[in-house]
Amino acid sequence: MAASLRAFLRPAAAAVCPSRRALLPPPRPLPGARACSAGSPFQYLVVQKTGARQSVGLVQLNRPQALNALCEGLMEELRRALEDLENDPQVGAIVITGSQKAFAAGADIKEMQSKTFQECYSSSFLAGWDKVSTIRKPIIAAVNGFALGGGCELAMMCDIIYAGEKAQFGQPEILLGTIPGAGGTQRLTRAVGKSLAMEMVLTGDRISAAEAKEAGLVSKVFPVETLVDAAIACAEKIASNSKLVAAMAKESVNAAFETTLAEGTRTEKRLFYATFATGDRKEGMTAFVEKRKANFTDS
C-alpha cells in the first residue's frame, strides 16, 4: 500500500506551482455559465457563475498536470475566488469541484519537503486553508476521483459532499511521515466516528464513494458524468431560498460540531429568534398561508 501510494503521489509532488508557465487549456465552460469578471484572472482555477439565474458560483480546480495538488498559489487563488463569490449578491451557493480524475490529490509535497519546524510554526503554515470553512454561503464539494490528504480536508471544509461513484477519500499523510494538518483528524472523526477515522489516519488506506456514503462522510453518490450537474442543481435549490436565513442555518448546523449540545441549542434558539427580524421570514410564512411561492429579498 505504501509503495503504491508513493508512486501515485510522485507526479503531484513533482510539479511545484510555477510563477510563469502556460497551463493546459482550461475546461470548457458549462452551458449557461458565465466567467466571473471580478478580480484578476486565475491561473489555477476556472471560476464561473451558472444556473438558470446565475445564482451558483462554480469553482473548478485547474492544475491537471499535478492532479490538482494544492500548492500555495492555488490555495491563495481559492481564497480570493471565494471572497469574490461571498461578496456577489447574485450568488446564493457555491460548488467546488476538480476533474473527473482528481478532486485534489493532496497538498503539494515538493513544496513542503524542505520546510522546517521553525518555518511552519512562525508562518502558521496551512492556517489560511481554513478560509473555505469560514465562508457564510453554503458550499458543496463535487468530488470525482481522488480526494486524498489536503484534497479530502478541502472537501470536508465544505458543507455538503456529493461524490462521483469512482471517488476515493483518504488521509495518507502517515505514509509520508507526517499527519493531517488542515483539519483532517478533526473533521474526519466528527464525520465518520473514531474507529474508521483512526483506521484511515493510521494506515493511510482509502475508502470508496460507497463506503464514504455509508460512513456519513458523503451525502449522495452519482455517476461520474452527472455529478457536477447534480451539485449545481442542489446549489440552485439552496440559492432559491433566503441567502440571509441560509447563512443562519449553516451557522446553526456547524454549531452542532463545534460546541456542546446545550450551547448548540442556545445558538439555534438565538438564530431562530433572529429570523423573526427579517422580511424573508415574514414573506415565507405569508406565502405559505396564501398558498403561493415565496419571493425572498434577503432582508
Side-chain angles (χ1 to χ4, degrees), residues 54-75:
Q54 300 291 295
S55 61
V56 176
L58 177 61
V59 180
Q60 184 171 12
L61 310 184
N62 184 37
R63 200 182 172 213
Q65 77 281 9
L67 295 176
N68 292 332
L70 304 176
C71 61
E72 292 182 6
L74 187 153
M75 294 306 295

Side-chain angles (χ1 to χ4, degrees), residues 174-214:
I174 193 78
L175 305 178
L176 303 176
T178 187
I179 68 171
T185 62
Q186 304 304 299
R187 291 188 175 94
L188 185 64
T189 304
R190 285 164 169 78
V192 305
K194 177 182 176 181
S195 182
L196 180 56
M198 278 286 193
E199 181 181 12
M200 292 174 67
V201 170
L202 294 178
T203 66
D205 287 349
R206 312 171 194 171
I207 60 174
S208 67
E211 291 170 324
K213 183 179 185 303
E214 183 179 3

